């Protein structure tokens, strides 16, 4: 390999010390489909003589089967390792490769160009210091070029190499190169990159990859590898404040209690004073334990176990910080969100947020705007679709320690998880704390829910009627209230149509508006339950996720889901308000059961079939359930 010098033979320890002291550059290749990202990495390794003979033999053999370069070795196969990647000639997953030269060590991430795999590109960019953005000289700047550039900027990358590839296919034209550079530079002005170095090249033939060639004699800059070896990245990650998210409380026996994890940023030494967030307790580092034995110091990226001089309460998800530079805490944030799921993000719907080894429920309370990746314009929107980026307000179930992402990429990032499928649906960067909940605390009241309900001789309940339009929800809810009123009970009805005239009159009938509609009603029902009332909520509420959200807001046993089960054809035949007829004629859009989905309950406490029983019989059945369950005494 090219960086192996005489020290290997003469002084192996000195050689290892030299390698240890080399700086490390993390970079990624990104851009649109077929711009040559994998081929470029293969060319870097091949021309630098960083490929072992057995690897080269395997690539030559595979090239004859699935290669795309004729008789020449297909160097892209060095990083396209999945069978599907080789069959299709595309990159799907992120491939990481380590290599080094005489001047520097490198970790390179080869990321996919297909829009479908944008989430994988974001994964590679999250740890990179520099991005090589490839452009096919024949096609110029494309939408995916802009999207990847914006994501790289959003994820904190400040150094960019604009690699105009496949120059051999445009006769190494300087005019073509200059036009592409001008086009990209105009777009990238708003992205905040520290520097953009533009290099014309051909990854296939090796022009300007490791050395300059006659084909591009008009280019006077450095070849790619030389630039990578000499570019100055700025502040090292281990020069920031110490951050150590606790992954595991290590307690193998009665005599040892340590806290295991990876140093997210900065460095820590034995004897350093630390502060644990969120508790605020302080102590000093007693020892730094690693697999190879105790250490005097641990820097960014190392996985270690810390023991402390004092017995303080620390749990998984807490962050150990430098005592003079603690992390912030908040449960309300402004953040950028990259949506990675086929189903859209809906403000008001609950997800799970995972950050720094802990999870908490989270609600996107507001989508302030979306970002158009083509011109970086801020556009209004009610949802985020796959691969879209939005600026949102978040409300968490509990306060978490954090740093703004622009200050610390490790402690300022998070992922969003779907509560039902456990799929990762989004990734985000925390911008700042809204500090709303931090300044508002619960006021202790002398009279509580129990006293209010006891005065009324009942238990509070939320009867959540759900079903298609025309199923009879409002009719049955009204009859239930009349029967409870006759029994001397204290009730209230929240009806979908009535609430639309006041509390929710600003909402339409899109999926996003329906989610917000139910969120507001659930919050109102929660207040009424707190007042000790038996509350009837009569809403179509078509989505299970929002009904589950409403259930979680109430105390255990307080939420009673009532499925008014009426077949679509029966509800449509009734059509008292003429809504189905208008929906079929296209006069009403997003009508549940016609062009908008209704998700029937799977485990409702009560189900009434209005084909098999009258509305009065259904009401009697529901009141009997309440009496048997003890809500009326």
């Amino acid at each position: 390999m090219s960086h192996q010098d005489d020290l290997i033979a003469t002084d192996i320890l000195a050689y290892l010390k030299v390698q240890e002291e080399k700086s490390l550059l993390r970079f990624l290749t990104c851009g649109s489909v077929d711009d040559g990202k994998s081929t470029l990495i293969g060319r870097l390794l091949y021309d630098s003589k960083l490929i072992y003979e057995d690897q080269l033999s395997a690539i030559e053999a595979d090239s004859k089967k699935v290669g795309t370069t004729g008789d020449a070795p297909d160097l892209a196969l060095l990083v396209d390792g999945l069978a599907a990647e080789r069959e299709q000639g595309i990159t799907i997953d992120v491939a990481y490769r380590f290599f080094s030269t005489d001047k520097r060590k490198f970790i390179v991430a080869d990321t996919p160009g297909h829009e479908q795999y944008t989430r994988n590109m974001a994964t590679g960019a999250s740890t990179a210091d520099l991005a090589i953005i490839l452009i096919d000289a024949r096609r110029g700047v494309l939408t995916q070029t802009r999207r990847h550039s914006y994501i790289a900027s959003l994820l904190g990358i400040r150094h960019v190499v604009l690699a105009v590839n496949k120059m051999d296919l445009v006769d190494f034209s300087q005019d073509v190169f200059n036009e592409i550079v001008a086009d990209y530079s105009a777009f990238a002005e708003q992205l905040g990159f520290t520097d953009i170095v533009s290099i014309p090249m051909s990854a296939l033939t090796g022009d300007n990859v490791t050395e300059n060639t006659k084909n591009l004699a008009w280019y006077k800059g450095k070849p790619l590898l030389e630039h990578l070896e000499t570019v100055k990245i700025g502040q090292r990650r281990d020069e920031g404040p110490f951050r150590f998210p606790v992954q595991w409380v290590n307690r193998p026996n009665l005599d040892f209690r340590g806290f295991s994890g990876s140093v997210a940023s900065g460095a820590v030494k034995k004897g350093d004073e630390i502060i644990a967030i969120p508790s605020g307790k302080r102590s000093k580092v007693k020892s730094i334990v690693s697999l190879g034995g105790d250490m005097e110091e641990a820097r960014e990226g190392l996985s270690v176990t810390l023991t402390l001089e004092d017995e303080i309460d620390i749990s998984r998800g807490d962050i150990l910080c430098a005592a003079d530079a603690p992390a912030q805490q908040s449960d309300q944030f402004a953040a950028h969100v990259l949506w990675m799921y086929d189903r859209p993000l809906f403000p008001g719907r609950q997800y799970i947020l995972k950050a720094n080894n802990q999870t908490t429920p989270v609600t996107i309370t507001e989508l302030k705007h979306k970002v158009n990746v083509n011109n970086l314009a801020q556009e209004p929107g009610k949802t985020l679709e796959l691969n879209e980026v939005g600026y949102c307000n978040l409300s968490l179930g509990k306060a978490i320690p954090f740093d703004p992402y622009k200050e610390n990429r490790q402690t300022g990032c998070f992922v969003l998880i779907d509560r039902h499928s456990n799929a990762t649906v989004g990734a985000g960067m925390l911008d700042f704390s809204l500090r709303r909940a931090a300044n508002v605390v619960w006021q202790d009241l002398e009279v509580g829910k129990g006293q209010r309900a006891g005065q009324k001789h009942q238990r509070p309940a939320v009867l959540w009627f759900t079903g298609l339009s025309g199923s009879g929800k409002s009719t049955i809810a009204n009859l239930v209230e009349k029967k409870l009123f006759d029994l001397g009970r204290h009730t209230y009805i929240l009806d979908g149509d009535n609430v639309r005239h006041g509390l929710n009159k600003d909402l339409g009938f899109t999926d996003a508006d329906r989610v917000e509609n139910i969120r507001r009603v659930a919050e109102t029902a929660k207040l009424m339950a707190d007042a000790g009332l038996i509350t009837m909520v009569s809403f179509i509420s078509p989505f299970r996720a929002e009904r589950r959200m409403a259930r979680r807001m109430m105390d255990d046993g307080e939420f009673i889901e009532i499925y008014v089960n009426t077949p679509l054809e029966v509800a449509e035949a009734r059509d008292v308000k003429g809504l189905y007829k208008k929906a079929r004629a296209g006069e009403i859009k997003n009508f549940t059961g016609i062009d908008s989905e209704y998700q029937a309950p799977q485990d409702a406490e009560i189900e009434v079939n209005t084909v098999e029983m009258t509305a009065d019989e259904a009401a009697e059945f529901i009141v009997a359930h309440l009496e048997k369950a003890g809500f009326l005494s």
Side-chain angles (χ1 to χ4, degrees):
M1 301 173 75
S2 65
H3 64 276
Q4 293 181 339
D5 52 33
D6 293 339
L7 281 177
I8 295 180
T10 60
D11 192 341
I12 187 63
L13 294 179
Y15 168 77
L16 292 175
K17 182 173 179 59
V18 169
Q19 300 306 310
E20 182 180 353
E21 293 176 351
K22 285 181 184 177
S23 63
L24 173 66
L25 176 67
R26 296 178 174 91
F27 70 93
L28 82 154
T29 58
C30 56
S32 192
V33 181
D34 291 332
D35 282 346
K37 296 176 290 296
S38 299
T39 300
L40 175 61
I41 295 176
R43 175 60 63 182
L44 272 173
L45 299 175
Y46 182 80
D47 286 358
S48 301
K49 297 181 175 60
L50 299 174
I51 305 175
Y52 293 106
E53 290 183 5
D54 59 335
Q55 288 179 306
L56 186 57
S57 298
I59 292 301
E60 290 174 344
D62 289 341
S63 297
K64 296 177 181 178
K65 301 176 184 177
V66 293
T68 60
T69 56
D71 294 333
D74 188 349
L75 299 178
L77 297 179
L78 280 167
V79 283
D80 286 344
L82 297 177
E85 293 178 322
R86 295 186 172 208
E87 291 169 0
Q88 300 178 60
I90 64 172
T91 299
I92 296 175
D93 201 0
V94 183
Y96 294 93
R97 290 293 182 270
F98 172 86
F99 69 98
S100 67
T101 66
D102 289 336
K103 297 179 180 179
R104 192 172 239 171
K105 296 181 290 187
F106 303 94
I107 295 177
V108 55
D110 180 31
T111 65
H114 282 67
E115 184 176 351
Q116 179 182 353
Y117 304 113
T118 297
R119 67 176 70 189
N120 294 348
M121 177 271 164
T123 299
S126 64
T127 58
D129 302 307
L130 178 145
I132 299 177
I133 298 173
L134 279 90
I135 293 179
D136 187 329
R138 300 168 300 172
R139 300 188 294 170
V141 178
L142 303 176
T143 297
Q144 193 71 336
T145 312
R146 296 186 178 96
R147 178 179 285 110
H148 280 193
S149 298
Y150 177 68
I151 292 173
S153 171
L154 198 62
L155 290 171
I157 294 176
R158 293 293 171 260
H159 303 271
V160 167
V161 173
L162 183 65
V164 183
N165 192 28
K166 302 187 180 181
M167 290 296 295
D168 54 312
L169 300 182
V170 294
D171 297 325
F172 300 100
S173 170
Q174 185 175 3
D175 290 339
V176 171
F177 173 74
N178 290 341
E179 184 178 343
I180 292 173
V181 171
D183 188 13
Y184 183 82
S185 298
F187 164 75
E189 280 182 358
Q190 307 172 60
L191 294 179
F193 292 133
T194 302
D195 60 81
I196 302 174
V197 175
S198 303
I199 303 177
M201 66 178 63
S202 171
L204 183 64
T205 60
D207 293 276
N208 274 5
V209 177
T210 58
E211 58 183 29
N212 293 339
T213 63
K214 294 180 180 179
N215 290 326
L216 292 164
W218 48 265
Y219 172 73
K220 304 303 180 183
K222 298 176 181 177
L224 175 62
L225 183 58
E226 184 177 346
H227 175 72
L228 296 177
E229 288 179 324
T230 57
V231 62
K232 294 181 179 179
I233 296 302
Q235 183 186 36
R236 289 166 37 183
R237 302 183 194 199
D238 56 12
E239 292 174 353
F242 172 63
R243 297 288 185 266
F244 186 82
V246 175
Q247 184 175 1
W248 175 44
V249 179
N250 190 344
R251 184 82 178 190
N253 55 58
L254 295 175
D255 300 321
F256 185 91
R257 182 168 179 261
F259 308 100
S260 301
S262 297
V263 180
S265 66
V268 64
K269 299 178 181 178
K270 287 175 60 176
D272 282 355
E273 185 180 9
I274 59 92
I275 181 171
I277 303 295
S279 70
K281 301 293 185 182
R282 295 173 181 262
S283 185
K284 290 185 178 181
V285 177
K286 181 178 179 181
S287 65
I288 303 173
V289 183
S290 70
L291 189 62
D294 287 3
M295 306 172 63
E296 292 295 319
E297 181 181 30
R299 292 187 167 272
E300 185 266 333
L302 286 180
S303 297
V304 295
T305 296
L306 303 181
T307 66
L308 305 179
E309 293 183 357
D310 305 287
E311 291 288 337
I312 62 176
D313 183 18
I314 297 174
S315 303
R316 173 181 167 86
D318 292 355
I319 297 183
L320 306 185
C321 307
D324 58 351
Q328 302 178 50
Q329 299 180 62
S330 184
D331 61 357
Q332 304 243 344
F333 297 96
H336 283 92
V337 173
L338 169 62
W339 194 244
M340 301 175 170
Y341 202 45
D342 293 333
R343 296 178 182 175
L345 174 149
F346 290 126
R349 178 168 290 180
Q350 272 200 349
Y351 300 93
I352 296 173
L353 180 143
K354 183 172 183 179
N356 301 316
N357 299 324
Q358 64 174 294
T359 59
T360 180
V362 62
T363 301
I364 313 297
T365 56
E366 182 181 4
L367 173 57
K368 301 180 76 67
H369 63 256
K370 299 196 291 188
V371 179
N372 185 322
V373 297
N374 286 305
N375 56 21
L376 303 183
Q378 297 178 2
E379 300 178 345
K382 293 188 175 181
T383 65
L384 281 183
E385 302 291 342
L386 176 66
N387 295 328
E388 288 189 328
V389 177
Y391 194 61
C392 308
N393 287 351
L394 313 180
S395 178
L396 280 60
K398 64 179 180 181
I400 62 169
F402 80 102
D403 293 294
Y405 187 83
K406 62 183 178 182
E407 297 178 8
N408 193 313
R409 294 166 69 181
Q410 302 298 313
T411 54
C413 65
F414 62 90
V415 296
L416 296 175
I417 300 169
D418 181 79
R419 298 184 68 104
H420 181 64
S421 65
N422 284 325
T424 298
V425 295
M429 291 64 68
L430 298 173
D431 194 359
F432 57 84
S433 167
L434 297 175
R435 299 191 180 279
R436 292 172 184 164
N439 296 331
V440 180
V441 298
W442 283 102
Q443 178 67 42
D444 290 331
L445 304 175
E446 296 295 328
V447 179
K449 180 192 293 187
Q451 289 87 350
R452 299 186 191 105
Q455 185 187 52
K456 300 172 178 63
H457 306 290
Q458 63 189 38
R459 283 172 52 199
V462 174
L463 310 184
W464 195 280
F465 293 79
T466 177
L468 294 170
S469 177
S471 62
K473 301 182 299 300
S474 296
T475 301
I476 296 172
N478 188 49
L479 287 170
V480 169
E481 184 176 40
K482 288 176 63 177
K483 294 178 183 298
L484 292 175
F485 185 82
D486 290 342
L487 292 172
R489 298 300 177 260
H490 298 254
T491 62
Y492 195 83
I493 289 183
L494 291 170
D495 183 80
D497 288 344
N498 294 347
V499 170
R500 287 277 186 178
H501 287 287
L503 176 66
N504 293 345
K505 66 181 180 181
D506 60 317
L507 299 177
F509 292 90
T510 65
D511 286 353
D513 283 341
R514 290 176 186 274
V515 171
E516 175 60 13
N517 186 40
I518 298 306
R519 187 194 69 81
R520 294 183 191 178
V521 170
E523 291 284 3
T524 305
K526 179 181 178 182
L527 293 174
M528 292 188 168
D530 192 56
L533 299 177
I534 297 175
T535 307
M536 274 62 66
V537 179
S538 177
F539 278 69
I540 294 174
S541 47
F543 303 129
R544 296 188 190 106
E546 277 57 64
R547 298 197 296 267
R548 286 195 298 266
M549 173 195 68
R551 181 186 294 273
R552 287 191 293 269
M553 288 184 180
M554 315 305 166
D555 287 346
D556 289 344
E558 200 171 78
F559 185 93
I560 301 172
E561 187 173 34
I562 302 173
Y563 177 29
V564 183
N565 186 356
T566 303
L568 175 61
E569 59 272 15
V570 175
E572 190 169 358
R574 294 171 181 170
D575 204 10
V576 178
K577 303 174 185 177
L579 299 178
Y580 282 100
K581 184 177 180 180
K582 292 181 180 180
R584 292 290 186 188
E587 298 175 21
I588 300 177
K589 301 296 182 183
N590 303 309
F591 192 82
T592 303
I594 304 300
D595 57 351
S596 184
E597 181 185 14
Y598 177 76
Q599 299 172 349
Q602 296 175 323
D603 52 2
E605 282 80 5
I606 299 174
E607 180 175 338
V608 293
N609 189 313
T610 60
V611 175
E612 300 174 355
M613 58 187 359
T614 66
D616 194 68
E617 289 172 339
E620 287 284 0
F621 180 72
I622 293 168
V623 172
H625 176 93
L626 294 176
E627 189 166 14
K628 183 177 180 181
F631 285 97
L632 307 186
S633 60

